[in-house]
Amino acid sequence: MPLLDPQTWQPRPLSGPAHTVTEPATGDTLGTVTLAAAEDVEAATRAAGTAQTEWARVPHFVRAAVLRKAGDLFAAHADELREWLVRESGSIPGKADFELHVAAQECYEAAALASRPAGQVLPTEAPRLSYTRRVPVGVVGVISPFNAPLILSIRSVAPALALGNAVVLKPDPRTAVCGGLSLAAVFAEAGLPDGLLHVLPGGPEAGQALVADPRVPVISFTGSTAAGRAVGEAAGRHLKRAHLELGGNSALIVLEDADLDAVISTAAWGSFFHQGQICMTTGRHLVHRSVYEEYVERLAAKADSLAVGDPYREQVHLGPVIDSGQLAKVHGLVEASTSGGAKLAAGGTHDRLFYRPTVLAGVDDHSPAYAEEVFGPVAPVRSFDTADEAAALAADGPYGLSLGIVTRDTTRGLDLAERIPTGIVHINDQTVNDEAVAPFGGIAASGTGARFGGDANLEAFTEVRWTTVRGDVATYPF
């Protein structure tokens, strides 16, 4: 029996319009979902708050068992979920398998959170027991994007549930199934009590209602920097925490001693994986002048060799970008850059939503595809002469998400990394990496720091409560 049935995958009726679930590669209809309106958010948060009170009292090992079961189910239903990821989000099968692997690992890691030490015994001046205890925040609002829909939903949903919270998840309507309804189905089969996970696919109205709802003290948002600023501003007005994982324009620095035979594949993966629709995508290739010309030539040849097409029906390296709006943005940035003097070394063309992997040489500060986050399969390449110049170029700009440095001298690479503000650094690797055990997040316009993964989940989804206990009632001077 399939996990997801289009006839029954939304057990609770919603008030918004019907939305067609579309396959980007073909334009075919995969199903229909109903979107959430503001009144649906209010109903969901109210029900979640009621259910959460009981869930927080459940023994930790019961919560952990649900999370472990959910992790197992992502593997048990891998074939079905892989198909949804490929067809609905445009992922190639390998990328879909990676999402499924990380989703399972996120559940297993979250299960372990349930039994972590919950506080500390504190020294005190008075004759009393003084201690802190981590308690659930209550209802967590999660707003997730389309690009890695399963990972970017589960990484907040799983730890929040494990720590005793309820969750209201608003996935991007373009990936409502693989980024939302699939999680609801998995957790229902895993035995999660009713009312603890509400999936409300919807647009800005639903997101705004979720951020404003007084029953939701914490918002976990992944998306663009512009949208993240709006979420953070609104959350601040309502005095609630917002954990923001936003955009990036990450640099890959290739020093003069780099092994180009090895680095070209790494560099291509960093820029072209999932059509460049990853926040950590290598958006700027900074290459030492002594190897720059060869690097451009070889990266362009690699780009030309990659197959682009329907990932469900063909064996390809890149699938479609998510929709026509994203295509127009990508192509507009490429054309604006070439009009400004950048050289098109490869790509720059498309067939429907299939955009060829593109290499731009001779870019500078004024090239839009270099200065801005493209969110498409575009690799701008720029030369530098010294490590100081490379550090300055990599540090320039508003973002601070990920950084890759390629060199045979790892000590030199680590020293260079210390001079570049960023949330994530990879020596001798590209910029796109993720593990459930690792804290993840960026700084500056890339977000509010490491708020996902590892111990960061404890900070994100609990409050610290101070408690004291005396044997007798305290007495005071008046």
Side-chain angles (χ1 to χ4, degrees):
M1 181 177 178
L3 178 71
L4 292 162
D5 180 352
Q7 303 302 317
T8 59
W9 60 20
Q10 286 185 289
R12 296 175 182 83
L14 298 177
S15 306
H19 173 77
T20 300
V21 180
T22 303
E23 183 177 25
T26 63
D28 291 346
T29 295
L30 300 176
T32 302
V33 301
T34 304
L35 299 184
E39 57 263 36
D40 299 310
V41 173
E42 181 181 3
T45 60
R46 192 179 302 277
T50 300
Q52 187 271 332
T53 302
E54 295 301 318
W55 180 242
R57 295 193 182 103
V58 168
H60 69 274
F61 61 85
V62 175
R63 297 198 303 270
V66 171
L67 271 297
R68 287 194 298 270
K69 179 65 173 176
D72 292 342
L73 289 171
F74 280 113
H77 294 288
D79 290 344
E80 180 183 357
L81 295 175
R82 180 188 306 111
E83 181 173 327
W84 276 106
L85 282 162
V86 170
R87 300 190 70 184
E88 188 184 24
S89 75
S91 300
I92 62 172
K95 187 260 189 181
D97 286 337
F98 176 70
E99 286 212 50
L100 289 164
H101 168 75
V102 172
Q105 292 303 313
E106 290 284 359
C107 289
Y108 299 143
E109 288 298 320
L113 285 177
S115 60
R116 292 288 293 274
Q120 294 178 310
V121 176
L122 304 176
T124 177
E125 298 177 359
R128 62 190 179 188
L129 172 65
S130 177
Y131 64 94
T132 62
R133 186 167 68 91
R134 289 194 174 275
V135 297
V137 297
V139 180
V140 174
V142 179
I143 302 174
S144 62
F146 72 85
N147 56 323
L150 181 54
I151 291 176
L152 299 180
S153 293
I154 195 68
R155 71 174 181 185
S156 293
V157 170
L161 290 172
L163 292 166
N165 301 287
V167 176
V168 177
L169 166 64
K170 192 204 83 65
D172 190 302
R174 291 172 289 185
T175 48
V177 180
C178 58
L181 301 179
S182 64
L183 280 78
V186 162
F187 278 102
E189 188 171 329
L192 184 72
D194 191 47
L196 288 169
L197 175 59
H198 299 258
V199 176
L200 306 179
E205 178 191 9
Q208 291 163 5
L210 187 59
V211 175
D213 195 291
R215 288 171 290 271
V216 181
V218 169
I219 295 291
S220 176
F221 173 86
T222 304
S224 71
T225 297
R229 290 186 193 279
V231 169
E233 180 180 353
R237 288 198 304 271
H238 296 285
L239 300 179
K240 59 178 65 180
R241 300 208 309 262
H243 305 307
L244 308 176
E245 200 273 284
L246 309 177
N249 192 11
S250 299
L252 177 68
I253 300 175
V254 181
L255 296 175
E256 67 273 16
D257 63 347
D259 178 1
L260 292 191
D261 290 334
V263 76
I264 293 301
S265 174
T266 298
W269 183 268
S271 282
F272 305 141
F273 175 63
H274 194 46
Q275 300 78 261
Q277 298 173 126
I278 301 289
C279 60
M280 300 167 285
T281 289
T282 301
R284 297 177 293 162
H285 296 245
L286 306 177
V287 182
H288 193 273
R289 191 175 300 279
S290 64
V291 294
Y292 171 80
E293 295 293 342
E294 183 181 358
Y295 184 94
V296 169
E297 181 180 351
R298 294 176 69 165
L299 185 60
K302 171 64 75 173
D304 287 338
S305 73
L306 299 177
V308 182
D310 182 344
Y312 182 61
R313 298 166 181 85
E314 307 170 56
Q315 187 171 348
V316 297
H317 300 98
L318 284 77
V321 297
I322 192 67
D323 59 20
S324 58
Q326 187 61 27
L327 177 78
K329 177 194 173 187
V330 172
H331 194 53
L333 290 171
V334 170
E335 288 195 316
S337 298
T338 56
S339 296
K343 174 188 174 184
L344 187 65
T349 62
H350 63 92
D351 175 14
R352 295 167 291 162
L353 296 181
F354 302 106
Y355 203 87
R356 289 293 313 172
T358 298
V359 178
L360 294 172
V363 296
D364 59 25
D365 290 344
H366 305 292
S367 303
Y370 171 86
E372 301 177 32
E373 181 184 35
V374 177
F375 227 64
V378 180
V381 190
R382 182 173 183 174
S383 65
F384 66 85
D385 291 302
T386 67
D388 287 342
E389 183 185 2
L393 289 171
D396 189 35
Y399 299 104
L401 183 52
S402 189
L403 170 69
I405 299 175
V406 181
T407 176
R408 298 176 193 267
D409 185 344
T410 56
T411 300
R412 183 186 180 202
L414 287 168
D415 178 69
L416 181 59
E418 290 297 313
R419 299 152 61 187
I420 302 166
T422 184
I424 302 166
V425 175
H426 303 293
I427 306 299
N428 286 324
D429 203 349
Q430 44 77 40
T431 54
V432 182
N433 282 279
D434 192 17
E435 292 186 34
V437 298
F440 185 97
I443 60 175
S446 291
T448 52
R451 297 293 187 267
F452 304 97
D455 289 345
N457 287 321
L458 289 170
E459 298 289 340
F461 303 120
T462 64
E463 302 283 7
V464 177
R465 176 180 293 170
W466 179 38
T467 302
T468 67
V469 181
R470 298 176 62 108
D472 300 313
V473 176
T475 59
Y476 293 91
F478 62 88

